[in-house]
């Protein structure tokens, strides 16, 4: 049809294409203007719903913290800067941190010893009985050898075996140990001195006395005396960490004491300095309730409610009108009952709560504009006087607030229904516009067909007109 439109008027000399374009444009505008406007408004509304859901989600997260027991058990940990002898500490011999649910407490702690792993030290010289010089003069093992590494004893023992072929260099032995299947954390390394001897170090990564390592088999290839066993080459025995907490000695196979002291984790860094009498100096630590953290959590909920209310007010602001015509200057959810009702419902949870008298006593206030706040000083004073009663009151408030929020936030709830309905309406507008496109196309085709006939008819009449004009001129000339 486009080719037909492009040739319209060529026979009659009339600009019929412009006429059709104008008529089609007018027809399309008449059909689409209203629906296009409604579609744009619905897109704005859907955007507004997303904004509202985001604001509700942010507030919901703050309410959830009121329900979390960890929100009411934060503590702060402090350590003195001097030990029990009054010596200024350049570094702390231990670290201490509080676990979730830790209670206040005082701890005098000293580190008696840190956890260590087994370390072997040996020397492989040119005259070693297990080695010989190859054709290039390098030390190589003189026979096939086997080493067995064992960690621990009894049923908990772990082992792995290393096979070394004859003719292996010291470096080959090192690699065979490090790459052995089942290696449970043994590493072998050496330093070769100016005398050509290999100073071998074999270390375990497992600390604790129960993780002592032994080596059996052809240990001569490690520079060890087979008649004395590998224990004779131990530079450092595996040992437990030991600390003293408030007069009680406790041990751990690592430097971390995670279960022995309730509510806290203690990590040994280094042995504590010793007093003149040989005992270990203690460093005092305290765990105290962090009232400021609890205050921040509770205050954040009220601030969140204020922010959500402000968001609802902004989104739900109605359009203003001039001479009866909307200025479209309202919020994305202008006039929505949800933005009007939600703040009322949530604020009523506080105002109608059985705990309201106590909440007011604990420092909750409401301003004339409907916003809530928390008097930190009054709240913390109440915490110190009745910690359990205060925290239980706000947990209950959180439960009631959460129940009200769920009517909006749950799957298939008020917000979901509102959003799905809006998207469905938007889809219907888009389908109507697609249908209008078909109608406009049919209208254009109809006009093209009619104006094509007109073009031919005018062209024919133009031909008749030219013929008559020519005849009249001929008659006039013959009469003269």
């Amino acid at each position: 049809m486009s080719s037909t439109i492009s040739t319209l008027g060529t026979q009659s000399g009339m600009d019929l294409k412009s006429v059709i374009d104008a008529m089609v444009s007018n027809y399309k505008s008449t059909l689409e203007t209203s629906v296009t406007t409604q579609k744009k408004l619905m897109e704005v509304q859907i955007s507004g719903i997303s904004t509202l859901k985001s604001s509700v989600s942010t507030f919901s997260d703050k309410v959830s913290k009121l329900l979390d027991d960890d929100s009411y058990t934060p503590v702060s940990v402090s350590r003195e800067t001097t030990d029990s002898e009054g010596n200024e500490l350049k570094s702390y011999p231990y670290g201490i941190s509080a676990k979730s649910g830790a209670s206040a407490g005082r701890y005098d702690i000293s580190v008696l010893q840190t956890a260590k792993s087994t370390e072997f030290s040996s020397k492989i010289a040119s005259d070693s009985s297990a080695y010989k010089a190859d054709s290039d003069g390098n030390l190589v093992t003189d026979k096939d050898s086997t080493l067995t590494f064992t960690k621990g004893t009894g049923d908990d023992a772990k082992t792995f075996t290393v096979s070394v072929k004859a003719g292996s260099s010291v470096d080959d032995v090192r690699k065979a140990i490090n790459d052995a299947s089942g290696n449970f954390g043994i590493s072998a390394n050496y330093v070769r001195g100016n005398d050509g001897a290999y100073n071998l170090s074999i270390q375990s990564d497992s600390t604790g006395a129960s993780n002592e390592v032994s080596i059996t088999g052809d240990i001569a290839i490690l520079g060890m005396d087979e008649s004395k066993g590998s224990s004779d080459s131990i530079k450092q025995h595996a040992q437990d960490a030991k600390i003293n907490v408030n007069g009680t000695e406790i041990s751990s196979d690592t430097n971390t004491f995670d279960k022995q002291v309730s509510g806290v984790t203690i990590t040994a860094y280094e042995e504590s300095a010793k007093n003149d009498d040989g005992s270990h100096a203690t460093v005092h630590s305290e765990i105290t309730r962090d009232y400021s953290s609890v205050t921040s959590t509770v205050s954040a909920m009220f601030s969140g409610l204020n922010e959500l209310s402000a968001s609802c007010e902004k989104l739900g602001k109605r359009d203003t009108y001039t001479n009866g015509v909307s200025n479209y200057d309202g919020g994305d959810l202008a006039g929505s009952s949800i933005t009007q009702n939600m703040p009322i419902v949530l604020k009523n949870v506080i105002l109608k709560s059985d705990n309201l008298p106590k909440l007011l006593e604990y420092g909750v206030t409401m301003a004339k504009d409907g916003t809530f706040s928390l008097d930190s000083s009054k709240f913390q004073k109440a915490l110190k006087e009745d910690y359990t009663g205060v925290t239980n009151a706000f947990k209950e408030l959180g439960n009631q607030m959460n129940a009200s929020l769920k009517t909006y936030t749950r799957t298939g709830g008020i917000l979901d229904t509102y959003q799905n309905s809006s998207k469905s309406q938007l889809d219907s507008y888009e389908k109507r516009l697609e249908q209008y496109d078909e109608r406009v196309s049919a209208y254009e085709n109809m006009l093209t067909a009619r104006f094509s006939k007109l073009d031919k008819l005018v062209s024919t009449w133009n031909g008749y007109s030219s013929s008559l004009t020519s005849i009249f001129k001929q008659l006039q000339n013959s009469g003269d």
Side-chain angles (χ1 to χ4, degrees):
M1 187 60 70
S2 59
S3 60
T4 303
I5 295 176
S6 63
T7 59
L8 273 176
T10 56
Q11 299 181 58
S12 64
M14 300 172 63
D15 187 6
L16 298 179
K17 182 178 181 303
S18 295
V19 175
I20 291 177
D21 287 345
M23 294 179 69
V24 169
S25 177
N26 183 63
Y27 181 69
K28 183 176 182 180
S29 177
T30 301
L31 286 176
E32 296 182 352
T33 297
S34 176
V35 177
T36 300
T37 299
Q38 293 301 317
K39 177 176 176 290
K40 289 180 179 178
L41 291 175
M42 191 54 61
E43 289 171 342
V44 170
Q45 179 170 297
I46 291 173
S47 174
I49 296 172
S50 295
T51 300
L52 178 59
K53 291 183 77 171
S54 177
S55 297
V56 172
S57 176
T58 299
F59 175 60
S60 181
D61 289 342
K62 294 179 179 180
V63 172
S64 294
K65 288 193 174 182
L66 288 183
L67 305 176
D68 187 352
D69 287 340
D70 289 347
S71 296
Y72 302 98
T73 56
V75 293
S76 59
V77 180
S78 62
R79 292 176 297 188
E80 292 187 350
T81 57
T82 58
D83 61 22
S84 54
E85 292 295 295
N87 299 312
E88 193 74 24
L89 294 172
K90 294 181 179 179
S91 61
Y92 286 101
Y94 66 87
I96 182 169
S97 60
K99 299 178 183 177
S100 172
S103 56
R106 297 182 178 88
Y107 304 93
D108 290 313
I109 304 171
S110 60
V111 178
L112 309 182
Q113 66 181 40
T114 57
K116 297 185 184 298
S117 60
T118 308
E119 181 179 354
F120 297 90
S121 179
S122 58
K123 189 173 185 177
I124 302 172
S126 59
D127 59 354
S128 173
S129 62
Y131 285 85
K132 63 181 181 180
D134 64 9
S135 58
D136 295 325
N138 298 315
L139 284 181
V140 295
T141 54
D142 64 354
K143 65 176 183 178
D144 290 347
S145 304
T146 301
L147 299 169
T148 299
F149 290 77
T150 303
K151 180 176 69 173
T153 58
D155 294 338
D156 295 329
K158 293 183 178 180
T159 64
F160 71 91
T161 302
V162 180
S163 297
V164 180
K165 293 183 178 180
S168 297
S169 67
V170 175
D171 195 55
D172 290 335
V173 175
R174 179 187 70 84
K175 290 179 179 178
I177 295 172
N178 293 340
D179 298 339
S181 174
N183 187 322
F184 46 68
I186 298 296
S187 61
N189 291 288
Y190 63 78
V191 176
R192 192 174 187 184
N194 292 332
D195 60 356
Y198 294 86
N199 295 283
L200 187 65
S201 174
I202 299 176
Q203 299 174 333
S204 169
D205 66 359
S206 299
T207 59
S210 63
N211 291 316
E212 182 81 297
V213 174
S214 63
I215 310 172
T216 56
D218 301 311
I219 61 174
I221 65 172
L222 302 177
M224 299 179 183
D225 188 337
E226 293 185 353
S227 65
K228 295 181 179 179
S230 63
S231 61
D232 188 58
S233 297
I234 291 180
K235 178 181 178 181
Q236 169 65 59
H237 285 280
Q239 69 178 32
D240 292 339
K242 294 182 180 180
I243 63 175
N244 186 297
V245 181
N246 292 344
T248 300
E249 185 176 310
I250 55 178
S251 302
S252 170
D253 58 6
T254 70
N255 285 315
T256 300
F257 295 79
D258 189 51
K259 298 178 180 178
Q260 296 90 329
V261 183
S262 62
V264 300
T265 297
I266 300 172
T267 304
Y269 296 151
E270 60 186 35
E271 184 178 347
S272 296
K274 289 189 177 182
N275 301 320
D276 293 338
D277 62 1
S279 63
H280 290 84
T282 61
V283 177
H284 182 75
S285 292
E286 284 195 26
I287 296 178
T288 55
R289 290 193 186 278
D290 187 357
Y291 294 112
S292 61
S293 179
V294 180
T295 303
S296 295
T297 297
V298 174
S299 182
M301 191 282 293
F302 290 111
S303 297
L305 178 56
N306 295 337
E307 291 163 3
L308 176 58
S309 297
S311 178
C312 286
E313 182 179 357
K314 181 179 179 181
L315 289 168
K317 179 186 174 185
R318 293 182 179 276
D319 296 336
T320 60
Y321 288 80
T322 302
N323 297 324
V325 179
S326 175
N327 295 312
Y328 295 109
D329 56 353
D332 290 351
L333 301 177
S336 167
S337 60
I338 293 178
T339 58
Q340 296 174 25
N341 295 335
M342 185 187 296
I344 296 173
V345 170
L346 297 178
K347 288 178 181 179
N348 279 343
V349 172
I350 300 172
L351 298 175
K352 294 183 178 180
S353 170
D354 292 338
N355 290 323
L356 181 58
K358 288 185 177 180
L359 296 179
L360 296 175
E361 180 185 341
Y362 297 155
V364 178
T365 61
M366 182 177 183
K368 291 181 179 180
D369 62 358
T371 58
F372 288 91
S373 61
L374 183 70
D375 185 325
S376 298
S377 298
K378 195 172 182 180
F379 178 68
Q380 290 189 21
K381 182 176 181 295
L383 281 175
K384 293 174 183 178
E385 293 175 350
D386 183 13
Y387 196 86
T388 301
V390 173
T391 55
N392 284 342
F394 283 96
K395 285 180 184 178
E396 179 57 28
L397 176 63
N399 279 320
Q400 294 177 20
M401 190 70 75
N402 191 51
S404 293
L405 275 171
K406 283 185 177 179
T407 62
Y408 292 94
T409 60
R410 66 180 175 80
T411 302
I414 293 174
L415 291 179
D416 265 3
T417 301
Y418 189 21
Q419 187 175 56
N420 292 336
S421 174
S422 299
K423 287 182 177 179
S424 177
Q425 189 64 46
L426 179 63
D427 289 341
S428 71
Y429 291 142
E430 290 175 344
K431 289 179 180 178
R432 286 174 64 182
L433 289 174
E434 290 175 3
Q435 294 170 353
Y436 288 163
D437 285 340
E438 296 175 0
R439 290 175 61 179
V440 169
S441 179
Y443 180 67
E444 184 179 30
N445 291 338
M446 180 271 293
L447 290 177
T448 301
R450 290 185 178 182
F451 276 91
S452 292
K453 293 179 181 180
L454 176 62
D455 188 31
K456 292 178 181 179
L457 181 61
V458 172
S459 175
T460 299
W461 281 107
N462 285 342
Y464 291 156
S465 177
S466 297
S467 297
L468 290 173
T469 301
S470 177
I471 291 171
F472 288 145
K473 285 184 178 180
Q474 291 176 4
L475 291 173
Q476 185 177 14
N477 291 334
S478 65
D480 294 340

